[in-house]
Amino acid sequence: MITNTELEQKGNLFPAGLISYEHDQDTINFISKNGVRLQVTVLRDNMLRFRYSTNGIFEHDFSYAIDEDNPQGFNKLTVDDNESHVEIITEKFICRVAKDDLRVGMYELDGRKILEDELGFHWEETFEFGGSFVKMSKSSKDQENYFGLGDKPTNFNLKGKRLSLWNTDQYAYGKDTVELYKAVPFYMGLHSNICYGIFFDNTFKTHFDFCQERRNVTSFWADGGEMNYYFIYGPQMADVLTTYTDLTGKPELPPMWALGYHQSKWSYYPESKVREIAAKFRELNFPCDALYLDIDYMEGFRCFTWNKDYFPDPKRMVKELENDGFKTVAIIDPGIKIDLNYPVFKEALEKDYFCRRADGPKMRGKVWPGECYFPDFTNPEVREWWSGLYRELIGEIGVKGIWNDMNEPAVMEVPGKTFPLDVRHDYDGHPCSHRKAHNVYGMQMARGTYEGVKKFNFPKRPFIITRANYAGGQRYTSTWTGDNVASWEHLWLANVQIQRLCMSGMSFAGSDIGGFAEQPSGELFARWIQLGIFHPFCRVHSSGDHGEQEPWFFGDEVLGITKKYVELRYQLLPYLYTAFFHYVQEGIPILKPLVYYDQEDVQTHHRADEFIFGNQILVCPVQEPNVQGRRMYIPKGKWYNLWNNNVVTGGREMWVEAPLETIPVFIKEGAIIPKYPVQQYVDEKKIEEVQLDVYYKIGKENSEFYEDSHDGYEYRQGMFSHRTFKFTGKEDEMILRQHKNGKYSAPYKNFKLKVFGLPFEVKQIFFDNEEVKPADLEYNDEDKSFIISKEFSELHLVG
Ligand code: GLC
């Protein structure tokens, strides 16, 4: 145990005893004898914000992470005083601030401990840069576990890890690489079936130690800025995560085509190559919605230009691809080539939009185009200009999505692979150095891009994907996990990273399927597709240095397997879209790691392979070569094996068959899964009928199905349809009730209901309370299917 005296010798300073405190409606201010100020603000019954100032003076309160429209308000606040503590009591929990050293503890209303400061707030002055290293330490229980923190490529459970957040271009990173592309300083702690969250909203380089340095201590600190964090009480992980996502914001619904299969490579060019790829997809009837243009479409890597030798008439090409169902997504990087004959460069130079070094010269660095300057995206005027640059690409040429890359920002051949720390930024009118702006640079670039694409693609929805991001960046963009490698370890990492991003408010995420660097074997590619179709974002991308990575490259067996899975994704689009609806409405993650799904079951706390896709589909990828199956944990309850409809009882680990054509997938009993027919791209066909797969259960289960017109904004005016299916199953009776919200009615008329595991012979059928003949509903006894009007209120089967 390190003592305060030892820490003080290292230069750490601490708050002294309380002199006084005062409070208004929602904020309590504590002042200590040595001038430290602690401000506690009640934002919600389950969320408090803590800010510390070492000398009583706070900086201007500004954050890129917090959503301006985040819902606030609480029902109850009592501030009580006793000899040793000041108590802040909300409707959900109690916070105690110690009078002798301002240490803080959080307790449930019945007194059970949630989280206590160990040393609490302390800091170290750093004269040279003028601020302090601000630090916080909390005590940790033996059985406490930790989750979150963005895209870290390490064990899903973070206990025992020390990690830092500094956006970094990490080509071919590995397991346990400490710094990656994104900074999401948010984690959740879980012990005694109590979950809480900490969001440390500080954009400087931040550090997190989860009981690595000391077994019962968790700490987090930053190389500058304020100790400014939010404490969120659960007790359910879902409460914590949805509160965090409310605070930092949710995206709009993406256009449904963005949930289709995407094919990318560095790079498809010239136009004839792009067409060849497109034609091959259609020839093979392999569904695909988007093709990507990597940097070679540009003239000398100048953003917002086209290489006219490779792409003589981009507008025509994009249009023709679109006629064939392909949406074109183009890459845009932040580095602007230094070239006085290049209008984008000239304009930014004249308007003084580029970042500068502390002493005045522009920040100069090498990226793909050679020497570049870099727009300061933290300046609102620059973002506005940047958004306008998309007029031609989106508005005129018809490109449908933009891919922002290298925005950590990455600089080649320099120490640290990024800007020097003295570079200046506007930071929306709070001028600062790169120390503070580094982690938000990519987020602000993606934000400017989002504004532009949204403006010029209106009334259709924008699609943006970024590599770098900061907490809250999910409001603007989707993301991928960067330059991974075609290895089995990276397949494991992709699974963990996407689940972790889902636990960090950034559900719209995927990996480069098959691996970016190097080349996968056919087996690895097939296994990766099997996982990738269950990720919110599904794209094959590769560096192209090591051969082809289109699904037909690996021979007929792999082509057949991958096609079957991509078709399954297209069938599951309405189910996935419903999960997106819950994500954008309520912040519910699209993938649910088992610990999120059932935190009470401690078996789940160390599981990372299995996850729930949406609400009711359990998936467990095969992550090793040459296997015929694997062991996996099935959460409590009963589950149908998707491939043979056998029912298994969970709460235990078991062996599951998984030859190459099979990934273990289980459906929760009672679930109703909506399915579209297979299409080659979203909205290829007029949908005549939606299939509802009903997985019989003795008991009750609710399922949901959200629909709208798949693009555009009418859904915001109520033009959506949100159905809830209430299933009740008995030994000899099944009742299915439907409730519908919203004004939208899809063009098809009927559902095809297919019941799996029906335990009785159907003798009587009641439809909306009237008895009908089996033939009226086209009842097929073989596959237990019915055709029913989609507006049904109740279907009642009697055995
Ligand atoms: C970066 C990106 C990669 C892209 C390449 C060329 O490495 O992460 O996806 O293909 O740059 O633009």
Side-chain angles (χ1 to χ4, degrees), residues 28 54 147 194 226 244 269 395 548 587 749 776 789:
I28 304 104
T54 57
F147 307 91
I194 303 173
E226 253 182 32
Y244 167 76
Y269 72 94
E548 313 302 313
K749 288 203 170 59
D776 297 343
S789 156

Side-chain angles (χ1 to χ4, degrees), residues 233 348 433 611:
Y233 169 62
S433 79
F611 61 89

Side-chain angles (χ1 to χ4, degrees), residues 58-74:
F58 286 109
E59 296 294 323
H60 184 79
D61 193 16
F62 173 77
S63 164
Y64 282 119
I66 307 302
D67 182 4
E68 280 174 11
D69 305 323
N70 81 84
Q72 288 184 10
F74 50 90

Side-chain angles (χ1 to χ4, degrees), residues 205-255:
K205 182 173 190 162
T206 49
H207 309 258
F208 292 80
D209 185 302
F210 299 103
C211 310
Q212 186 188 74
E213 186 178 306
R214 286 179 289 151
R215 192 164 68 90
N216 288 111
V217 179
T218 299
S219 54
F220 51 92
W221 66 102
D223 293 3
E226 253 182 32
M227 175 48 63
N228 166 35
Y229 76 91
Y230 296 77
F231 169 84
I232 305 169
Y233 169 62
Q236 291 299 310
M237 205 173 255
D239 302 326
V240 177
L241 193 53
T242 53
T243 305
Y244 167 76
T245 318
D246 272 351
L247 181 69
T248 57
K250 290 164 282 201
E252 323 176 345
L253 266 177

Side-chain angles (χ1 to χ4, degrees), residues 693-730:
D693 285 350
V694 180
Y695 290 88
Y696 204 88
K697 170 184 190 174
I698 306 283
K700 289 178 194 283
E701 172 82 10
N702 287 351
S703 303
E704 290 175 56
F705 173 23
Y706 172 85
E707 261 187 317
D708 59 24
S709 56
H710 303 167
D711 205 339
Y713 289 93
E714 291 83 2
Y715 75 97
R716 293 202 162 159
Q717 270 75 56
M719 290 304 285
F720 61 84
S721 119
H722 179 203
R723 299 163 190 277
T724 306
F725 301 123
K726 297 188 173 211
F727 176 90
T728 309
K730 300 180 186 165

Side-chain angles (χ1 to χ4, degrees), residues 266 294-295 331 368 403 405-406 467 480 483 512 516 541:
W266 178 16
D294 205 327
I295 48 177
I331 197 166
W368 306 122
W403 169 19
D405 185 26
M406 305 295 277
R467 194 169 70 176
W480 89 106
D483 295 346
D512 280 354
F516 176 73
H541 179 56

Side-chain angles (χ1 to χ4, degrees), residues 146 187 238 390 415 518 710 737:
Y146 301 95
Y187 72 86
Y390 289 100
E518 297 174 28
H710 303 167
R737 292 200 182 91

